[in-house]
Amino acid sequence: MRVQTGIPGLDELIEGGFEEGNITLVTGGTGTGKSTLCMQFIYNGIVDFNEKGIYITTEENALNIKRQSAKFNWNIEELEKDGSLKLIEMEPFDIDTISDSLSEVVEKMDAKRIVIDSVSVFEMYIQDPFKIRKTLFKIIQRIREMNRVCLVTAEIPEDSKGLSREGVIEFMVDGIILLKYLGIAKYKRSLAIRKMRMTDHSSDIHPFDITPQGIEVYSV
């Protein structure tokens, strides 16, 4: 079963949507649109497909997320009030409890879509590389057991050639969507599907815009 993102132009690149139970990394540099894509995925799930969502933020506070969402006419407060969306703020030191907390909320809400934005803060907080791997693996495994569709974001430092800050999370997930800011072309942003298990996905680089309605991906 495929879970549609509802993002114009994206589902066509991944055989109609994410495979049920898929965990995908949305990665890129600062300002590439990672959070926008993730919130659009959650919002569309609720409004268009009647699928509840959980959005865990480790960087922005909830008020800023609501303000940013309002620019696209996504009324996050209304969705919170009717119980279809749970917006959770987490600090880096909460990483050891995130798995249990998430399981409890998912079960209570019967949420179908999950976003963790982002794991980069946890990577910076934990100094021991072994502990980073162990902790991220535990989180990913717990989400996998829930059989929900989950998007996880990571930030790529400007001087890095990797897909995340520590180069760990990309090997644990089922899919990778790489966003880039070009700044010099007609379309200033691009999107590429680096991998997507059990999916005949596009291997091209696709331009996209952040419009007043959210992200729109264009064919090449």
Side-chain angles (χ1 to χ4, degrees):
M1 179 179 174
R2 292 281 165 178
V3 176
Q4 298 178 62
T5 69
I7 296 172
L10 180 56
D11 291 327
E12 294 88 331
L13 308 183
I14 51 175
E15 283 196 288
F18 296 115
E19 185 76 15
E20 196 170 60
N22 181 285
I23 302 172
T24 290
L25 173 66
V26 179
T27 187
T30 302
T32 50
K34 300 182 296 295
S35 297
T36 301
L37 187 150
C38 288
M39 183 53 81
Q40 193 169 353
F41 166 72
I42 292 289
Y43 180 84
N44 289 348
I46 297 169
V47 174
D48 296 333
F49 306 108
N50 197 31
E51 295 179 347
K52 295 180 180 180
I54 298 170
Y55 194 105
I56 296 175
T57 174
T58 64
E59 296 184 2
E60 292 280 1
N61 62 45
L63 180 59
N64 283 342
I65 290 175
K66 291 173 184 178
R67 286 173 175 169
Q68 291 163 12
S69 298
K71 294 180 180 179
F72 304 107
N73 292 317
W74 301 337
N75 193 332
I76 301 305
E77 287 189 349
E78 182 178 306
L79 300 181
E80 282 188 297
K81 288 177 182 177
D82 69 21
S84 57
L85 170 65
K86 184 72 173 179
L87 185 56
I88 302 172
E89 294 182 43
M90 280 202 165
E91 301 289 343
F93 49 77
D94 291 327
I95 189 168
D96 291 326
T97 63
I98 187 173
S99 297
D100 293 334
S101 300
L102 184 56
S103 296
E104 184 178 335
V105 177
V106 167
E107 185 176 342
K108 185 176 180 179
M109 287 182 63
D110 191 25
K112 303 298 183 184
R113 303 183 182 213
I114 302 168
V115 164
I116 301 177
D117 182 20
S118 74
V119 297
S120 295
V121 171
F122 295 138
E123 291 177 325
M124 289 187 290
Y125 177 74
I126 302 173
Q127 301 299 314
D128 182 358
F130 174 76
K131 187 175 181 182
I132 291 174
R133 290 176 173 82
K134 182 179 179 181
T135 304
L136 291 179
F137 180 79
K138 179 182 177 182
I139 294 171
I140 293 298
Q141 285 301 105
R142 181 61 68 87
I143 294 172
R144 210 178 290 285
E145 290 168 4
M146 299 179 203
N147 197 38
R148 302 309 201 261
V149 175
C150 177
L151 301 186
V152 179
T153 74
E155 187 165 312
I156 303 174
E158 295 298 328
D159 58 347
S160 173
K161 295 182 180 180
L163 292 171
S164 67
R165 185 172 294 275
E166 296 295 332
V168 174
I169 188 70
E170 54 261 46
F171 298 103
M172 300 180 182
V173 294
D174 304 303
I176 300 173
I177 298 177
L178 175 62
L179 308 183
K180 288 188 176 182
Y181 183 80
L182 306 174
I184 55 174
K186 176 183 177 182
Y187 297 108
K188 292 181 168 53
R189 293 177 171 86
S190 70
L191 175 152
I193 314 295
R194 289 292 298 267
K195 77 171 180 179
M196 195 66 63
R197 291 174 185 158
M198 298 180 289
T199 301
D200 183 16
H201 63 84
S202 170
S203 57
D204 294 322
I205 297 173
H206 295 265
F208 74 90
D209 269 342
I210 300 179
T211 74
Q213 291 75 45
I215 285 177
E216 183 172 352
V217 183
Y218 304 109
S219 59
V220 292

